[in-house]
């Protein structure tokens, strides 16, 4: 009884390992690189985006050069308040306006918005740390959207 189950698992393993899977977003398989990157707006969001996009700044053989202008805007909006008037829920909004400048001088504009809800904490330090974590995650998502936009252009 145990032998057929082992054979089935072994076959499933070989089929999944040898299927030729490769990650969709592999840096070595990209056909582009980012030449000039200018960023303005919120400093912490910009630093996170720069760190994520820095990998794509090295030119490769037969790759297309894109210049980027990114403008970021961060808003922390109070969604609801408690009985005392203190904020109980926030909405964190990161808006990024991306301009892709092609080799021929044409410009493609794209606006990327990311939202996250944050509940108020009793300890403000914990709330601030959660806010920083959410900002970092939203910045990573924005940079991934930029990379996918450049890959499938």
């Amino acid at each position: 009884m145990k032998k057929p189950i082992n054979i089935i698992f072994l076959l499933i393993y070989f089929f999944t390992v040898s299927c030729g899977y490769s990650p969709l977003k592999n840096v070595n398989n990209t056909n582009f690189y980012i030449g000039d990157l200018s960023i303005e707006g919120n400093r912490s969001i910009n630093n996170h985006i720069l760190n994520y996009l820095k990998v794509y700044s090295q030119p490769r053989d037969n790759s297309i050069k894109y210049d980027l202008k990114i403008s970021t805007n961060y808003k922390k909006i109070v969604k609801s308040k408690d009985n005392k008037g203190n904020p109980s829920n926030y909405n964190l909004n990161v808006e990024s306006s991306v301009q892709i400048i092609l080799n021929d001088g044409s410009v493609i504009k794209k606006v990327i918005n990311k939202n996250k809800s944050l509940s108020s904490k009793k300890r403000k330090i914990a709330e601030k740390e959660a806010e920083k974590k959410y900002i970092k995650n939203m910045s990573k998502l924005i940079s991934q959207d930029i990379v996918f936009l450049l890959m499938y252009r």
Side-chain angles (χ1 to χ4, degrees), residues 27-88:
V27 176
N28 297 328
N29 294 337
T30 57
N31 62 346
F32 70 91
Y33 71 97
I34 299 172
D36 185 31
L37 179 62
S38 63
I39 296 182
E40 61 184 34
N42 188 295
R43 183 179 294 179
S44 65
I45 295 171
N46 292 343
N47 288 338
H48 291 302
I49 291 175
L50 271 174
N51 286 337
Y52 291 122
L53 294 180
K54 171 172 45 175
V55 177
Y56 299 98
S57 64
Q58 298 297 323
R60 292 181 176 72
D61 296 335
N62 299 327
S63 58
I64 302 168
K65 176 186 171 192
Y66 294 115
D67 295 330
L68 296 178
K69 290 183 182 178
I70 302 172
S71 176
T72 58
N73 187 14
Y74 172 69
K75 293 179 186 174
K76 182 178 179 180
I77 302 166
V78 177
K79 264 194 337 187
S80 62
K81 296 182 179 185
D82 61 6
N83 294 337
K84 296 179 184 178
N86 297 327
S88 61

Side-chain angles (χ1 to χ4, degrees), residues 88-102:
S88 61
N89 288 323
Y90 298 101
N91 191 20
L92 307 178
N93 184 13
V94 176
E95 180 179 303
S96 180
S97 174
V98 181
Q99 292 183 350
I100 303 170
I101 303 165
L102 306 174

Side-chain angles (χ1 to χ4, degrees), residues 86-126:
N86 297 327
S88 61
N89 288 323
Y90 298 101
N91 191 20
L92 307 178
N93 184 13
V94 176
E95 180 179 303
S96 180
S97 174
V98 181
Q99 292 183 350
I100 303 170
I101 303 165
L102 306 174
N103 288 336
D104 61 359
S106 60
V107 177
I108 299 171
K109 296 181 181 179
K110 177 83 173 169
V111 177
I112 302 170
N113 286 316
K114 298 295 176 190
N115 294 311
K116 183 69 178 171
S117 294
L118 173 68
S119 61
S120 181
K121 312 263 192 259
K122 289 185 179 184
R123 294 181 45 217
K124 293 300 176 185
I125 294 173

